[in-house]
Amino acid sequence: MRGLLVLALLLAAVACLAEGAGECGATPPDRMALRLAPCASAAQNPSSAPSSGCCNAVHTIGKQSPQCLCAVMLSNTAKSSGIKPEVAITIPKRCNLADRPVGYKCGAYTLP
């Protein structure tokens, strides 16, 4: 009987963790995309230098996971804000982020 109770509690804990375990943890990518506001011009124009605020935002999101960064850059919020995924995907390189996931597949795009 005690073993069943432990098993039930364990299953409940796993269910709670799974519920908040999206690409960006408990924060939906569409909400996380709001943090890319400083990247607006750099994500639309490949020759626009990303600001330090943009690079900091991309670095922070990318540290969470490459999956999170990818989900944010391809999110509906990012797209409706005018962010071009094919340009946004180049921001980590343009920011000279040493720990960027080079070669990571992000939908139809690959991080340079």
Side-chain angles (χ1 to χ4, degrees):
M1 182 71 169
R2 188 173 202 198
L4 245 94
L5 180 60
V6 170
L7 182 61
L9 288 173
L10 184 61
L11 289 173
V14 169
C16 287
L17 286 173
E19 186 175 311
E23 295 95 338
C24 300
T27 306
D30 278 309
R31 187 177 314 153
M32 188 75 80
L34 299 174
R35 297 181 186 177
L36 291 181
C39 299
S41 63
Q44 295 172 4
N45 181 354
S47 43
S48 173
S51 68
S52 62
C54 171
C55 291
N56 287 336
V58 168
H59 184 254
T60 300
I61 294 169
K63 273 194 334 190
Q64 249 187 295
S65 75
Q67 295 89 350
C68 178
L69 184 59
C70 180
V72 168
M73 290 185 173
L74 298 177
S75 69
N76 290 329
T77 298
K79 289 176 188 169
S80 67
S81 299
I83 288 178
K84 297 177 181 174
E86 67 276 11
V87 177
I89 213 78
T90 67
I91 292 174
K93 182 177 182 179
R94 291 189 288 153
C95 287
N96 294 315
L97 298 180
D99 58 350
R100 70 184 188 273
V102 176
Y104 183 80
K105 284 295 278 176
C106 185
Y109 310 101
T110 303
L111 267 81

